[in-house]
Amino acid sequence: MQTQREQESAGREGEREHKACVGQPGAFCSSSAAARRCESSLGQPSPGARLTGHPLTAAAMASADADLEAEALPHISEGDVNEIRAAVEKGDLTAAATKAQEILANEEKIQLHIAVTGESGSGKSSFINAVRGLQDHEEGAAEVGVTETTVQCSPYPCPQDSHVTFWDLPGIGAPNFRPDTYLQQVQFDRYDFFIIISSSRFTCNAAILAEAIQARGKHFYFVRSKVDQDVSNEQRLYDEEGVLKAKGKKAPATRSQRYDERTVLDRIRQDCESNLTELGISSPQVFLVCRDGFGRKYDGPRLLRTFLDDLPSQKKLGFLRSLAVTSKEVLRKKKKELMKYVWLKSLASCGASAVPIPGLSTAVDIAILVTSLQEYCRTFGLAEDSLQKLAEQVNKPVEELKAVMRSPLHHEISKDLVMKLLTKSFRGAVQYALPDLKSIPIVGAVIGCLLSAAIAFFSMFFRLRNFLSDAAADAERILQRALEGTSQNSPKGS
């Protein structure tokens, strides 16, 4: 273990190297292009938050960190938390890390199954493609057509996260699917919730299905599709100045003299709600959506927000990872959910698979850091294929989108890159104050184990947290650049 003088010397060396990069956005102390962009993710501690004296006094001297969001923690059972705490209190960090790895591995096994049903031609398949960020002609897209193309329950995993699957179900009344046996035929228990779609008025079969789903204790959502077509048809009745073309007796009493999209949407929603009320559904809620710009237009964002609010906590992250970054709201929810797992990943990295960092008396599991950084890039669309697709949707050169990035791309994250970053990161780690982590389970006890383990934990914590924040900031800049000058203010097919 290093002496205090050695630690202070290493800290000064790390500070000198880090200062060479400070003030240069996107610049690295390393030579590779990917490393130069990623080094800015290291972050800088508060100037008044330096460690002095023995490192084990760090917890008492820690300052608050506003970006930590420590109050937001992943769903972990009380038994798992107690098991980690007991291992740490015994000084068995390997056992604690192994338990953290087990929890993370179980999180990756969680499946989410979403059923989509409706009458023939209602737009079920197009909805499934839109919510997964696919065009109807792309590989993996659900088949679309003017007639009923769904003759069996067809699964469509999300490209961004295969643990999330949308199921295209035959509509009630389709051949071989009777209303009284429909739920048994489609294997009702398989699905977490149901989406019932109509492109016009909801039918009696839709109401019967909703009541049956509700009786069995699951969520369902009424979705009115193809709203953009209704809006377009309504606009044709008005001239370029937004004035109703029909005059006098020819003008329908139900239409305003001047065009107002909000009024049109309210009329469609009220019609659907009245329709469902007549069918016996009390206080129905209807979401108006369209194929193009799904994640940004009409009730698309509200529908996604409602899904997230209703999902159990352990299934939120998977659903968020499956979504394309179509709005700042989706982006920020992704960041918030991913941030909950940073401390757990940091603890997991201190396990038996940890490897020494050259020139330092500490070790971490490099694979966990590599896969975590890759996960962040993929989740925020910082991957070559994702950027190329977005560029095509907004008709802009992909290099124009990349120009605003400061983080590396998904394929640039490698073991060698991470080792270079960690070497830089660890040298100054002892000198920096630790954030106020009192609300994070277990962490306080980790500091009291081994100094090298504490350094490894917090260095990993800072690295993951700061890279996550930088990746989210990159995604927001890319989204803003992509939408600049677009007429719809949203990517096509998103």
Side-chain angles (χ1 to χ4, degrees):
M1 181 179 293
Q2 291 177 308
T3 66
Q4 182 175 340
R5 178 170 297 180
E6 289 171 334
Q7 294 159 3
E8 292 173 351
S9 176
R12 285 192 296 272
E13 180 185 353
E15 182 176 21
R16 284 194 299 271
E17 295 185 11
H18 182 63
K19 281 182 177 179
C21 300
V22 173
Q24 302 178 37
F28 255 2
C29 305
S30 176
S31 59
S32 71
R36 284 195 299 274
R37 292 201 303 276
C38 192
E39 181 67 18
S40 60
S41 300
L42 176 60
Q44 302 177 55
S46 171
R50 300 278 179 83
L51 272 178
T52 58
H54 197 282
L56 293 182
T57 65
M61 303 176 64
S63 62
D65 188 321
D67 293 330
L68 183 56
E69 298 190 47
E71 74 281 1
L73 299 172
H75 172 79
I76 301 176
S77 70
E78 185 177 352
D80 286 340
V81 170
N82 290 337
E83 189 172 337
I84 295 177
R85 179 180 290 110
V88 172
E89 289 174 349
K90 292 177 182 178
D92 190 352
L93 193 62
T94 298
T98 299
K99 186 61 183 179
Q101 292 170 3
E102 178 187 320
I103 294 171
L104 290 170
N106 288 335
E107 289 283 331
E108 290 300 318
K109 297 177 184 177
I110 295 175
Q111 302 279 331
L112 177 63
H113 295 278
I114 303 167
V116 182
T117 187
E119 299 292 330
S120 301
S122 61
K124 301 194 305 311
S125 299
S126 289
F127 173 87
I128 290 173
N129 294 336
V131 76
R132 294 186 305 141
L134 293 176
Q135 294 286 341
D136 292 338
H137 65 272
E138 288 188 272
E139 182 179 356
E143 183 181 359
V144 298
V146 295
T147 59
E148 179 62 66
T149 57
T150 307
V151 295
Q152 60 183 0
C153 301
S154 303
Y156 293 96
C158 289
Q160 299 288 352
D161 192 326
S162 60
H163 296 90
V164 179
T165 302
F166 283 82
W167 290 79
D168 192 354
L169 307 187
I172 298 181
N176 302 321
F177 285 86
R178 294 165 40 201
D180 58 337
T181 60
Y182 183 81
L183 292 181
Q184 290 76 22
Q185 288 179 283
V186 300
Q187 300 182 43
F188 172 86
D189 292 334
R190 171 195 285 157
Y191 311 108
D192 291 274
F193 59 84
F194 285 74
I195 298 169
I196 305 172
I197 293 184
S198 175
S199 59
S200 55
R201 294 177 64 83
F202 289 93
T203 66
C204 181
N205 284 337
I208 293 173
L209 176 60
E211 290 178 342
I213 295 170
Q214 188 172 40
R216 299 193 183 196
K218 292 194 177 183
H219 289 287
F220 64 89
Y221 307 91
F222 289 113
V223 171
R224 171 63 157 76
S225 63
K226 305 181 182 180
V227 171
D228 54 338
Q229 296 180 17
D230 295 289
V231 170
S232 178
N233 290 336
E234 187 74 14
Q235 284 180 317
R236 293 192 182 98
L237 302 176
Y238 295 80
D239 61 23
E240 294 181 356
E241 301 297 324
V243 178
L244 189 65
K245 294 177 180 178
K247 305 296 182 181
K249 295 182 179 180
K250 295 182 179 180
T254 57
R255 285 192 170 86
S256 171
Q257 290 299 310
R258 297 198 65 87
Y259 177 76
D260 179 64
E261 184 175 283
R262 176 60 58 186
T263 300
V264 176
L265 296 175
D266 287 343
R267 188 167 67 242
I268 296 172
R269 183 178 289 106
Q270 290 168 8
D271 179 66
C272 291
E273 290 173 351
S274 298
N275 164 214
L276 288 167
T277 300
E278 293 172 1
L279 294 172
I281 303 297
S282 60
S283 303
Q285 186 178 26
V286 178
F287 297 88
L288 311 183
V289 304
C290 65
R291 170 67 180 89
D292 292 332
F294 165 79
R296 292 181 58 84
K297 297 182 67 174
Y298 308 128
D299 291 336
R302 186 167 66 93
L303 179 61
L304 296 178
R305 186 165 57 247
T306 304
F307 289 163
L308 282 169
D309 290 343
D310 292 344
L311 280 172
S313 58
Q314 65 269 28
K315 297 197 175 188
K316 292 182 186 295
L317 178 58
F319 184 71
L320 280 167
R321 284 192 302 206
S322 73
L323 298 177
V325 180
T326 55
S327 68
K328 290 183 179 180
E329 181 181 16
V330 168
L331 192 157
R332 290 165 184 169
K333 285 182 179 294
K334 285 183 179 226
K335 177 185 174 182
K336 182 176 181 180
E337 198 66 25
L338 287 167
M339 196 69 78
K340 295 179 183 181
Y341 292 85
V342 169
W343 77 270
L344 198 59
K345 288 176 178 285
S346 302
L347 178 58
S349 73
C350 300
S353 299
V355 297
I357 303 301
L360 300 167
S361 58
T362 189
V364 297
D365 190 330
I366 299 297
I368 289 179
L369 186 54
V370 171
T371 56
S372 296
L373 300 191
Q374 289 176 338
E375 175 194 5
Y376 299 159
C377 286
R378 175 60 68 180
T379 300
F380 289 116
L382 306 182
E384 195 71 47
D385 57 343
S386 298
L387 290 174
Q388 186 63 50
K389 181 176 180 180
L390 177 60
E392 292 173 357
Q393 291 173 354
V394 297
N395 195 28
K396 291 184 177 181
V398 69
E399 294 304 323
E400 182 179 340
L401 303 183
K402 290 182 180 180
V404 299
M405 288 183 58
R406 299 175 186 174
S407 305
L409 289 170
H410 175 273
H411 74 274
E412 294 175 321
I413 303 295
S414 65
K415 180 179 178 180
D416 290 341
L417 173 63
V418 168
M419 288 292 284
K420 289 179 182 178
L421 300 180
L422 287 178
T423 301
K424 298 286 185 182
S425 175
F426 278 121
R427 285 176 181 170
V430 178
Q431 150 188 30
Y432 298 149
L434 308 178
D436 183 4
L437 304 178
K438 294 177 182 178
S439 59
I440 297 185
I442 316 306
V443 171
V446 172
I447 301 174
C449 291
L450 301 173
L451 175 58
S452 62
I455 297 172
F457 177 91
F458 285 110
S459 294
M460 284 288 287
F461 183 90
F462 279 121
R463 171 59 64 195
L464 289 172
R465 185 198 63 174
N466 291 327
F467 187 94
L468 173 56
S469 295
D470 287 350
D474 271 345
E476 187 164 339
R477 283 190 291 269
I478 290 170
L479 180 64
Q480 183 173 345
R481 178 62 62 87
L483 300 182
E484 286 177 355
T486 58
S487 58
Q488 291 184 334
N489 200 33
S490 64
K492 293 184 297 181
S494 62

